[in-house]
Amino acid sequence: MGNIRMPFENIKDLLTNHKRRPFPSAELGNLVQSLSFTHIIGADFNAKHQTWSRSTNTRGRTLQNFISLNHLKVIASLSPTYWPSHINRHPDTLDFFITNLPNRFSTEIINLNDPASDHTPVLLQIGAHPSLKKSRPTITPGTTNWNKFKDTISNKTTLNIKLKSITDVDQAIAKLTDDIQKAALDSSTLLAI
C-alpha cells in the first residue's frame, strides 16, 4: 500500500473564503503543484459550474478553467450539498472533490444528508479495480502468416460465378465467408499459454 499524505494546513482558509472574493486559483495551483503524487482535494469551494452544480458563477468558471488546465476531475454528488435558509437562494452543490486519480479507481460519492448545518457532509468511497486488457475479436487464433492467408484466398476465390438470383448471391457470400475463415485458421499458429 502506498503512503497517504494529507496536507491540511491552509486548505480551509484557501478555499472557503467568502464567495464574493475571486476564486484563489493561483493559491490552489501552488497547492496542487506541491503535491507530487495522486491527490484528492475536497472542500466547500463556494463555486458553481454546470459541470457539478445547477448554475454557473464567476468563481465556478475560474475553478472549471483551473480543473481543465490541470487535467483534474470533479467528483460531485448528484444531489445538493448546500441547503440555504434564505428564501431567495436555492439548494446547490458546493461541496465536492477535485482529483487526479487514475481512471482505474472507481469513485462513489454519498451525500450523508445530515441536517446539522446548511452544508451536508459527503463521503467519498474509492475502489481499485485491476485493469484487465480486453482481447480484441479475431478470426485468427494466434499468430497469422498473412502472406499464406493472401495466397490461400487468391487460390480459393472464384470470380467467374453467376450472381443472377438472391440464392446465387447468398451462396457466394457463404462460400467467401467459409473460405476466409478456413484460410485464417490454416494460416495461423496457435499461441502456447
Side-chain angles (χ1 to χ4, degrees):
M1 176 123 184
N3 293 333
I4 297 174
R5 189 176 121 209
M6 301 178 142
F8 286 116
E9 293 89 40
N10 295 314
I11 293 176
K12 182 178 181 189
D13 292 336
L14 169 69
L15 297 176
T16 59
N17 284 316
H18 194 272
K19 63 184 175 186
R20 289 194 177 95
R21 180 180 177 261
F23 190 83
S25 55
E27 294 91 339
L28 185 58
N30 291 337
L31 172 66
V32 168
Q33 285 181 347
S34 75
L35 304 174
S36 59
F37 49 87
T38 301
H39 57 272
I40 302 167
I41 300 171
D44 166 8
F45 287 96
N46 276 323
K48 299 178 183 182
H49 192 274
Q50 290 177 335
T51 303
W52 61 81
S53 189
R54 63 187 299 268
S55 61
T56 299
N57 64 13
T58 302
R59 287 176 61 93
R61 278 189 289 277
T62 304
L63 179 57
Q64 178 57 34
N65 187 45
F66 176 85
I67 290 166
S68 295
L69 289 173
N70 288 281
H71 309 288
L72 300 174
K73 294 182 270 193
V74 174
I75 305 170
S77 174
L78 295 176
S79 59
T81 61
Y82 169 63
W83 299 91
S85 56
H86 193 280
I87 195 166
N88 290 335
R89 296 195 180 139
H90 302 284
D92 220 329
T93 302
L94 301 177
D95 309 272
F96 52 91
F97 300 88
I98 59 175
T99 182
N100 66 348
L101 275 174
N103 290 333
R104 70 177 175 270
F105 290 96
S106 63
T107 58
E108 180 181 1
I109 192 165
I110 300 168
N111 190 332
L112 299 177
N113 294 319
D114 182 0
S117 167
D118 60 344
H119 289 262
T120 57
V122 291
L123 173 68
L124 177 62
Q125 294 181 329
I126 303 169
H129 302 288
S131 56
L132 301 174
K133 185 178 178 184
K134 293 182 180 178
S135 58
R136 58 188 178 111
T138 180
I139 61 170
T140 58
T143 305
T144 303
N145 178 337
W146 291 106
N147 288 328
K148 182 176 178 183
F149 176 82
K150 181 183 83 167
D151 292 341
T152 304
I153 287 294
S154 296
N155 292 334
K156 285 189 173 189
T157 304
T158 306
L159 298 177
N160 60 350
I161 55 175
K162 69 175 189 159
L163 299 172
K164 302 278 184 191
S165 68
I166 293 175
T167 303
D168 292 342
V169 172
D170 287 342
Q171 288 174 349
I173 291 171
K175 181 177 180 338
L176 179 61
T177 301
D178 188 52
D179 289 347
I180 291 171
Q181 290 172 340
K182 285 181 182 173
L185 288 172
D186 293 344
S187 304
S188 299
T189 306
L190 291 176
L191 296 175
I193 296 176

